[in-house]
Amino acid sequence: MESTHDDVLVLGGGVIGLACALYLLKAGAGVRVLEQGTPGCGSSHGNCGTITPSHAAPLAMPGMIGVALRSMLSADAPLYLNPRFDGARLRWLLGFARHCNWRDFAAATTARCSILQRSRRLLGELIRDEKLDCEFSEQGTLYVYRTAGLRAADEHDHAKLLDRLGIEVQRLDGAQVEAMEPALKPGVAGGLFHPGDASLRPDRYVAELARRVVELGGVIEQGARIEHLDTDGRQVTRVHSSRGVFQGAQVVLALGAWSPLLAKQLGLRLPMQPGKGYSLTYSRPRLVPRHALALREASVCVTSWNDGYRLGSTMEFSGYSEGLNRTRLDALRRGAAAGLREPEGPELLEQWWGWRPMSVDEVPIIGPSTRWSNLQLATAHGMLGVSMSAATGELVASMLAGTDPAIDAAPYAPARFGL
């Protein structure tokens, strides 16, 4: 059988797969990326592009299951659990519920904080050193509150947690927030500003990663839908795709929300579910925010670029259901209209949905498989794929090179799930 052989095959050309490919190439490996569409066409494309060490805390905490169950009654809730029966989703939800305790919350927060802070530092270096043109901005993220109650609750829980983690957060009153952001409507109760956060244009970031991968000698096979995996004892030997058959001394599984579907062929049950997100992209309105914003009551993220403006967020658990949900998009519009003087741009450029790869403990799955000796996993980054991309690429490259990683790899190991 004719096939192409490489040092490393990276399965998936989203932000994580491309970051892994780039760091592997920089470490001297020969790399080929298999992407079923075009680079970054999944969740890497339509998210808001925020780089957020401030998001160290996971959703999985005591009381969250009650919130999720109540959301079934409100199709426009920021966190929405579709009531349709789905066995795989139910098993994931039960696993998620087991992690909604303070011990697991603390462990997940520590693990997420470590990779987020490392990635934040690396991203600035990567974008500068590799000359990635992606509108990178280090102006921070501003959480905006219109009710004193939610502001006080976040101050007590979110801000104090970040203080303990060493992540800077500035407490602002309403007048200070309105002075920082003329784009906001009056009536702000207060804000929390995260100066260590950053933002970029995600589609441009992924395109630039792809450009550098090719310039450094890597190959990206577009339109390469993976159809079948051959194995021999403890190794993945061949990857059959719509573009041909490929072999790699090492294989990196970085397929985002599609990872569990392919992993079944290898007898691996990844404890993941797709969390569906939405965004609306416009041409720039006259009055745009100076910072990336989180409008907290509506859970709407707002970012702007030189020629674009985006409203995003929401989390919908509906399994692998495809397509736009008009109710969710309307909720984004209402949330923006409640907080911004010009909530929408002159022209609607794109309505988008994508699946975020959510693990039951909300910690990414990165590292060697215990079942397959030449398989590395790099998946389950949830809503933080862009934020965690650089550190994930560095971590995978160091593990394959046999060098000491910059951060402790143990919290992300597939072995915690017997994978």
Side-chain angles (χ1 to χ4, degrees), residues 188-201:
V188 174
L192 296 175
F193 181 56
H194 305 286
D197 286 359
S199 64
L200 49 74
R201 182 157 185 160

Side-chain angles (χ1 to χ4, degrees), residues 226-417:
I226 298 167
E227 298 169 341
H228 180 68
L229 302 176
D230 289 340
T231 59
D232 180 12
R234 281 181 43 79
Q235 289 202 334
V236 179
T237 55
R238 293 184 182 88
V239 178
H240 296 255
S241 81
S242 56
R243 295 266 314 208
V245 181
F246 301 93
Q247 299 180 68
Q250 295 288 331
V251 178
V252 177
L253 178 61
L255 288 169
W258 287 269
S259 298
L261 306 181
L262 186 67
K264 286 181 181 179
Q265 292 191 27
L266 300 173
L268 303 178
R269 178 176 287 183
L270 273 62
M272 294 168 56
Q273 271 287 296
K276 200 173 186 183
Y278 297 87
S279 69
L280 294 163
T281 304
Y282 298 88
S283 57
R284 277 172 62 99
R286 179 187 57 83
L287 186 60
V288 297
R290 299 170 177 172
H291 305 82
L293 301 180
L295 306 178
R296 282 290 289 123
E297 282 78 10
S299 292
V300 173
C301 179
V302 185
T303 50
S304 57
W305 304 293
N306 292 338
D307 60 352
Y309 168 80
R310 181 167 290 169
L311 308 176
S313 195
T314 84
M315 177 67 76
E316 174 186 338
F317 288 101
S318 299
Y320 285 93
S321 66
E322 299 184 1
L324 293 168
N325 182 329
R326 192 62 51 187
T327 299
R328 313 291 290 167
L329 295 176
D330 289 344
L332 288 177
R333 288 190 172 96
R334 286 197 304 275
L340 297 168
R341 295 179 185 271
E342 294 187 45
E344 301 181 36
E347 181 183 0
L348 178 61
L349 303 177
E350 183 179 25
Q351 301 178 96
W352 176 90
W353 65 271
W355 290 321
R356 307 180 183 106
M358 307 292 293
S359 65
V360 290
D361 62 357
E362 288 190 87
V363 175
I365 302 172
I366 308 168
S369 167
T370 60
R371 171 66 180 85
W372 303 100
S373 63
N374 68 334
L375 179 67
Q376 292 271 335
L377 286 85
T379 189
H381 293 77
M383 297 177 283
L384 299 170
V386 172
S387 291
M388 295 180 176
S389 58
T392 298
E394 180 191 56
L395 188 56
V396 168
S398 68
M399 286 188 286
L400 285 179
T403 59
D404 291 335
I407 58 175
D408 181 11
Y412 319 106
R416 74 186 191 271
F417 297 123

Side-chain angles (χ1 to χ4, degrees), residues 13-16 18-20 22-23 39-40 44-45 47 49-51 119-120 122-124 126-128 130-136 199-213 305 384-393:
V15 70
I16 296 299
L18 291 171
C20 289
L22 181 55
Y23 277 91
S44 305
H45 172 77
N47 66 74
T50 50
I51 314 300
S119 201
R120 171 65 184 87
L122 284 176
L123 271 166
L126 184 70
I127 289 168
R128 181 190 67 242
E130 302 297 332
K131 297 179 173 56
L132 306 184
D133 180 11
C134 57
E135 298 190 43
F136 181 61
S199 64
L200 49 74
R201 182 157 185 160
D203 56 338
R204 291 299 310 151
Y205 173 52
V206 174
E208 289 289 273
L209 288 177
R211 175 181 63 81
R212 285 300 292 147
V213 164
W305 304 293
L384 299 170
V386 172
S387 291
M388 295 180 176
S389 58
T392 298

